[in-house]
Amino acid sequence: LSNADNLFPFFDLCRMIMLHDDGMKCMRANMSGTVEVIIDRLLDVMTSCPSSTALTGTRFLCNLCKDSDPTSIMSMVSHMSFIFNTFKSYLALATTHKLVRGAIAAFLANIAYLTSKGKVTDNGIIIEVVNLADELMRLEQMTQESVDVVMRCCLAIGTVTLSKRSVLSNAIMVSLKKTVADTKDKFQHKLNANSTCFTEVISILE
């Protein structure tokens, strides 16, 4: 894994392994410590590697959220502050790819779902999910490029607000409501029927 050129196929294979019902079990049995190595390597290179590598690595993280093995979630939680910081650094780059932004948004939606099921309980992580979704939606307002990104961020914000409202401060709620409303206005011509989702999340944030 020291050669960055090999990371894309490696991340992609690991991403596909995690789609299998026994993917984590097999990886733990035959490649002990691999999940942590993958996460660490992705965080090392995400701001400098090709978009295809960043995309498959982030989708690997998304697929970890789908695994029924609690060790998958534990692996992510132990790295979560680094994951969020790396995502923020990526989003701060002069240019980013909409598919990578979409994968980051999907990861946030997945973590939001896990919080609603009580599988992620750390309040700091919960707050970071909505804050990063807020930041990503505001970034997307500038380009109005991807409906997928803003829809997934809206889903993440709505899910967390419904399940963990007490964790969110009034200031966070006000900021989220403004961002969701502004995004709805800017994407109105693209959202069509999906605008209902934004309307509902705005009402949840009241």
Short mmCIF file of all heavy atoms in Angstrom, two decimals, residues 98-99 101-102 140-141 143-152 183 187 190-191:
data_model
loop_
_atom_site.label_atom_id
_atom_site.label_comp_id
_atom_site.label_asym_id
_atom_site.label_seq_id
_atom_site.Cartn_x
_atom_site.Cartn_y
_atom_site.Cartn_z
N LYS A 98 -17.85 15.76 -7.86
CA LYS A 98 -19.21 15.63 -7.33
C LYS A 98 -19.51 14.20 -6.86
O LYS A 98 -20.29 14.01 -5.92
CB LYS A 98 -20.25 16.07 -8.35
CG LYS A 98 -20.41 15.18 -9.57
CD LYS A 98 -21.53 15.70 -10.47
CE LYS A 98 -21.74 14.80 -11.67
NZ LYS A 98 -22.85 15.29 -12.53
N LEU A 99 -18.88 13.19 -7.47
CA LEU A 99 -19.12 11.82 -7.03
C LEU A 99 -18.48 11.55 -5.67
O LEU A 99 -19.04 10.81 -4.85
CB LEU A 99 -18.60 10.82 -8.07
CG LEU A 99 -19.33 10.79 -9.41
CD1 LEU A 99 -18.70 9.75 -10.33
CD2 LEU A 99 -20.82 10.50 -9.21
N ARG A 101 -18.02 13.95 -3.43
CA ARG A 101 -18.90 14.69 -2.51
C ARG A 101 -20.17 13.87 -2.24
O ARG A 101 -20.68 13.84 -1.11
CB ARG A 101 -19.28 16.05 -3.09
CG ARG A 101 -18.09 16.98 -3.30
CD ARG A 101 -18.52 18.43 -3.51
NE ARG A 101 -19.44 18.64 -4.59
CZ ARG A 101 -19.13 18.83 -5.86
NH1 ARG A 101 -17.85 18.83 -6.23
NH2 ARG A 101 -20.07 19.02 -6.78
N GLY A 102 -20.66 13.20 -3.26
CA GLY A 102 -21.84 12.34 -3.08
C GLY A 102 -21.56 11.18 -2.15
O GLY A 102 -22.41 10.81 -1.33
N GLU A 140 -22.41 22.98 -1.97
CA GLU A 140 -23.13 22.56 -3.17
C GLU A 140 -24.02 23.69 -3.71
O GLU A 140 -24.29 23.74 -4.92
CB GLU A 140 -23.98 21.33 -2.88
CG GLU A 140 -24.16 20.39 -4.04
CD GLU A 140 -22.86 19.78 -4.55
OE1 GLU A 140 -21.95 19.54 -3.73
OE2 GLU A 140 -22.75 19.56 -5.78
N GLN A 141 -24.45 24.58 -2.85
CA GLN A 141 -25.24 25.73 -3.30
C GLN A 141 -24.47 26.57 -4.30
O GLN A 141 -25.06 27.17 -5.22
CB GLN A 141 -25.63 26.61 -2.11
CG GLN A 141 -26.68 26.04 -1.18
CD GLN A 141 -26.92 26.93 0.02
OE1 GLN A 141 -26.63 28.13 -0.01
NE2 GLN A 141 -27.43 26.36 1.10
N THR A 143 -22.30 25.62 -6.59
CA THR A 143 -22.20 25.04 -7.93
C THR A 143 -23.55 24.58 -8.47
O THR A 143 -23.75 24.52 -9.68
CB THR A 143 -21.26 23.82 -7.91
OG1 THR A 143 -21.82 22.81 -7.05
CG2 THR A 143 -19.89 24.20 -7.39
N GLN A 144 -24.47 24.27 -7.56
CA GLN A 144 -25.79 23.71 -7.92
C GLN A 144 -25.61 22.53 -8.89
O GLN A 144 -26.36 22.36 -9.85
CB GLN A 144 -26.69 24.79 -8.54
CG GLN A 144 -26.98 25.93 -7.59
CD GLN A 144 -27.89 26.98 -8.18
OE1 GLN A 144 -28.75 26.69 -9.00
NE2 GLN A 144 -27.68 28.23 -7.79
N GLU A 145 -24.58 21.72 -8.60
CA GLU A 145 -24.19 20.66 -9.52
C GLU A 145 -24.88 19.33 -9.25
O GLU A 145 -25.23 18.61 -10.17
CB GLU A 145 -22.67 20.48 -9.45
CG GLU A 145 -22.12 19.52 -10.49
CD GLU A 145 -20.60 19.43 -10.45
OE1 GLU A 145 -19.97 19.88 -9.47
OE2 GLU A 145 -20.03 18.90 -11.41
N SER A 146 -25.04 18.98 -7.96
CA SER A 146 -25.49 17.62 -7.65
C SER A 146 -26.70 17.61 -6.72
O SER A 146 -26.59 17.96 -5.54
CB SER A 146 -24.35 16.82 -7.02
OG SER A 146 -24.79 15.54 -6.62
N VAL A 147 -27.83 17.17 -7.25
CA VAL A 147 -29.03 16.98 -6.42
C VAL A 147 -28.79 15.84 -5.44
O VAL A 147 -29.25 15.88 -4.29
CB VAL A 147 -30.26 16.68 -7.30
CG1 VAL A 147 -31.47 16.27 -6.45
CG2 VAL A 147 -30.61 17.89 -8.16
N ASP A 148 -28.05 14.82 -5.88
CA ASP A 148 -27.78 13.66 -5.04
C ASP A 148 -27.09 14.07 -3.74
O ASP A 148 -27.44 13.60 -2.66
CB ASP A 148 -26.90 12.67 -5.81
CG ASP A 148 -26.56 11.44 -4.99
OD1 ASP A 148 -27.49 10.71 -4.59
OD2 ASP A 148 -25.37 11.19 -4.74
N VAL A 149 -26.12 14.97 -3.84
CA VAL A 149 -25.39 15.42 -2.65
C VAL A 149 -26.33 16.09 -1.66
O VAL A 149 -26.34 15.76 -0.47
CB VAL A 149 -24.24 16.38 -3.03
CG1 VAL A 149 -23.63 17.01 -1.78
CG2 VAL A 149 -23.16 15.65 -3.81
N VAL A 150 -27.12 17.04 -2.13
CA VAL A 150 -27.98 17.79 -1.20
C VAL A 150 -29.11 16.93 -0.66
O VAL A 150 -29.54 17.11 0.48
CB VAL A 150 -28.53 19.09 -1.85
CG1 VAL A 150 -27.38 20.04 -2.16
CG2 VAL A 150 -29.36 18.81 -3.09
N MET A 151 -29.58 15.97 -1.45
CA MET A 151 -30.63 15.08 -0.95
C MET A 151 -30.11 14.22 0.19
O MET A 151 -30.79 14.03 1.21
CB MET A 151 -31.15 14.19 -2.08
CG MET A 151 -32.10 14.88 -3.06
SD MET A 151 -33.64 15.43 -2.26
CE MET A 151 -34.29 13.89 -1.62
N ARG A 152 -28.91 13.68 0.04
CA ARG A 152 -28.34 12.82 1.08
C ARG A 152 -28.01 13.62 2.33
O ARG A 152 -28.18 13.13 3.45
CB ARG A 152 -27.12 12.09 0.54
CG ARG A 152 -27.49 11.06 -0.52
CD ARG A 152 -26.29 10.30 -1.05
NE ARG A 152 -26.70 9.30 -2.03
CZ ARG A 152 -25.88 8.40 -2.56
NH1 ARG A 152 -24.63 8.34 -2.18
NH2 ARG A 152 -26.32 7.54 -3.45
N THR A 183 -30.92 25.93 0.37
CA THR A 183 -30.62 24.89 -0.63
C THR A 183 -31.87 24.55 -1.43
O THR A 183 -31.80 24.37 -2.65
CB THR A 183 -30.06 23.63 0.05
OG1 THR A 183 -28.91 23.97 0.83
CG2 THR A 183 -29.68 22.58 -0.98
N PHE A 187 -32.01 24.97 -5.49
CA PHE A 187 -32.14 23.75 -6.29
C PHE A 187 -33.58 23.51 -6.74
O PHE A 187 -33.87 22.45 -7.27
CB PHE A 187 -31.65 22.54 -5.51
CG PHE A 187 -30.16 22.32 -5.54
CD1 PHE A 187 -29.32 23.02 -4.69
CD2 PHE A 187 -29.59 21.43 -6.44
CE1 PHE A 187 -27.95 22.83 -4.71
CE2 PHE A 187 -28.23 21.21 -6.48
CZ PHE A 187 -27.40 21.92 -5.61
N LYS A 190 -34.38 21.83 -9.93
CA LYS A 190 -33.89 20.46 -10.12
C LYS A 190 -34.55 19.44 -9.21
O LYS A 190 -34.55 18.25 -9.49
CB LYS A 190 -32.37 20.41 -9.90
CG LYS A 190 -31.54 21.13 -10.94
CD LYS A 190 -30.05 20.93 -10.67
CE LYS A 190 -29.19 21.57 -11.73
NZ LYS A 190 -27.74 21.33 -11.51
N LEU A 191 -35.11 19.90 -8.09
CA LEU A 191 -35.62 18.98 -7.09
C LEU A 191 -36.92 18.30 -7.49
O LEU A 191 -37.15 17.14 -7.19
CB LEU A 191 -35.84 19.72 -5.75
CG LEU A 191 -34.59 20.13 -5.00
CD1 LEU A 191 -34.96 20.97 -3.78
CD2 LEU A 191 -33.79 18.91 -4.58
#
